[in-house]
Amino acid sequence: MSENEKKWAWVLTGSGHFFNETIELINTLKNVDVFVSKAAEEVLVMYKKKGKISKDIKIYKDNSASSVSVGKFYKGTYHTLVMAPTSSNTVAKCVYGISDSLASNIFAQAGKCKVFCIYFPCDTAPELRTFAPSGFVDVFPRDIDLENVKKLKKFSQTDVAMSFKDLEKKVIWRNKSV
C-alpha cells in the first residue's frame, strides 16, 4: 500500500479535555478511521450536542476482547496514529505496556508496526482549565500522571502534544508530510 493510500487512525478515550475541538479536527482530515473506547462512548454522549463525527468517517467501537480491528496495523493500513484526547488511565496503561483495552492495544500494535504516533494526554501541566459538559473546571493532575507523560515522551515514533494548539500543529505538519 502506498503512503498516499494509507489512512489516519484516531483513538478517542474517556477524556473530555478539548473533546469538541478534537472532533472538529478529526472532521478536517481525509481517510481517517476513528477508534472509540468504551469510556469514549460515554464521553461522546456527554458532548453529543457539539461533538459530532462526520458520517464519512468509519468508526470502530470497543466491542471485542481481543480488539480485532488492530489487525489493520499489520496490513499497513495506517501512516499515523493519533491518540487524542487521552485519559490518564490510558496514558498509564500505554507507558507500562498494558494492552487490555482497544486504546492501549492499538498503541501497542502501532508501536510494534512502527506507525508514527501523535499523542495528546489530558494531564500536561500541574494546573489546567478544561471544558466539561457543565462548563469550565479546574483540574490538578497528580504527580504520577505528569510523570507518565514524561515517560511517554521517551517512546520511539511518538510525538507528544502538550496543548491542543500543539496537537493541531502536529496534525497539520504530519498531514503535509504523508
Side-chain angles (χ1 to χ4, degrees):
M1 182 176 283
S2 76
E3 283 299 313
N4 292 342
E5 295 171 322
K6 291 186 178 188
K7 302 171 94 175
W8 293 85
W10 198 298
V11 174
L12 296 173
T13 70
S15 174
H17 191 55
F18 288 95
F19 194 80
N20 290 327
E21 295 87 345
T22 298
I23 299 301
E24 289 175 18
L25 183 56
I26 291 169
N27 288 336
T28 68
L29 297 174
K30 294 194 181 337
N31 297 324
V32 60
D33 289 342
V34 174
F35 297 86
V36 178
S37 73
K38 289 181 182 179
E41 282 188 67
E42 295 172 3
V43 175
L44 276 166
V45 170
M46 288 188 272
Y47 289 88
K48 69 181 174 187
K49 290 182 181 171
K50 293 183 182 174
K52 296 245 186 226
I53 298 172
S54 168
K55 291 177 181 158
D56 298 331
I57 294 173
K58 175 73 176 161
I59 298 173
Y60 295 91
K61 293 186 177 181
D62 192 358
N63 56 12
S64 69
S66 63
S67 301
V68 176
S69 50
V70 301
K72 291 178 151 230
F73 285 87
Y74 288 94
K75 293 178 182 173
T77 304
Y78 303 109
H79 57 72
T80 307
L81 166 64
V82 182
M83 303 274 294
T86 313
S87 67
S88 58
N89 182 56
T90 299
V91 172
K93 286 181 177 185
C94 292
V95 164
Y96 290 98
I98 299 168
S99 6
D100 66 347
S101 67
L102 179 65
S104 58
N105 200 355
I106 285 176
F107 183 71
Q109 301 318 310
K112 292 176 184 182
C113 296
K114 297 190 180 226
V115 173
F116 184 78
C117 180
I118 300 170
Y119 211 112
F120 179 44
C122 64
D123 296 324
T124 56
E127 294 182 30
L128 301 165
R129 187 154 180 80
T130 191
F131 185 76
S134 60
F136 282 96
V137 296
D138 293 319
V139 179
F140 305 93
R142 305 169 302 168
D143 290 343
I144 188 69
D145 300 323
L146 298 171
E147 187 61 35
N148 284 340
V149 171
K150 286 180 187 174
K151 290 177 181 177
L152 189 61
K153 288 179 174 183
K154 296 177 183 175
F155 275 65
S156 172
Q157 295 275 330
T158 302
D159 196 356
V160 179
M162 296 299 285
S163 68
F164 183 76
K165 195 59 131 176
D166 193 23
L167 172 65
E168 285 180 307
K169 287 178 185 174
K170 290 176 187 309
V171 168
I172 290 167
W173 166 81
R174 186 69 178 163
N175 205 24
K176 289 178 182 176
S177 67
V178 291

